[in-house]
């Protein structure tokens, strides 16, 4: 059973930065990508970005490009989400997830990010 644990959330002012981490208890051969999602009250869950374990290719939703960066540490089964130039619209619960080739199959419990003005 794979467990994902997020950390690093908190309260930050507009324009500030936070780094989230997601650690997986184990990394299996079918875990191709690690991703970040977020959900604000009243909104649908939104894909933020993802990274491939092998090769490190990343992708991001347009609203965070240039501000957020995903990185990884394969040896520690950990991925990071560096968030800069934060906006109130970034306020949400952020979840990490692990994917097979076809779907997101493991999910963390989430960590709250609040950006205040």
């Amino acid at each position: 059973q794979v467990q994902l644990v997020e950390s690093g959330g908190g309260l930050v002012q507009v324009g500030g930065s936070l780094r989230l981490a997601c650690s997986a208890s184990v990394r299996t051969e079918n875990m191709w990508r690690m991703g970040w999602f977020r959900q604000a009250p009243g909104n649908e869950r939104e894909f933020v970005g993802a990274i491939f374990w092998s090769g490190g290719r990343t992708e991001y939703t347009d609203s965070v490009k240039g501000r957020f960066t995903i990185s990884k540490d394969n040896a520690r089964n950990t991925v990071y989400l560096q968030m800069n130039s934060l906006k109130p619209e970034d306020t949400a619960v952020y979840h990490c997830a692990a994917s097979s080739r076809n779907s997101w199959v493991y999910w963390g419990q989430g960590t709250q990010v609040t950006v205040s003005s």
Side-chain angles (χ1 to χ4, degrees), residues 33-95:
R33 295 190 297 165
M34 296 291 289
W36 289 95
F37 296 78
R38 65 187 182 185
Q39 187 168 18
N43 291 352
E44 296 295 318
R45 185 173 62 196
E46 177 188 22
F47 174 77
V48 175
I51 187 167
F52 281 87
W53 280 116
S54 180
R57 176 192 167 204
T58 56
E59 58 180 339
Y60 305 92
T61 191
D62 286 345
S63 63
V64 308
K65 287 180 180 176
R67 299 189 299 120
F68 291 11
T69 302
I70 299 174
S71 60
K72 63 183 177 68
D73 185 337
N74 291 52
R76 291 170 171 76
N77 298 331
T78 300
V79 298
Y80 304 92
L81 179 65
Q82 178 67 47
M83 304 182 293
N84 299 326
S85 301
L86 283 162
K87 305 174 180 179
E89 306 94 274
D90 297 318
T91 295
V93 175
Y94 284 70
H95 297 263

Side-chain angles (χ1 to χ4, degrees), residues 1 5-6 10 18-19 29-30 32 40-41 50 72 88 90 93 100 105 110:
Q1 184 70 24
V5 180
E6 303 98 335
L18 283 174
R19 189 180 75 156
E29 60 275 9
N30 69 317
W32 282 37
K72 63 183 177 68
D90 297 318
V93 175
S100 65
V105 295

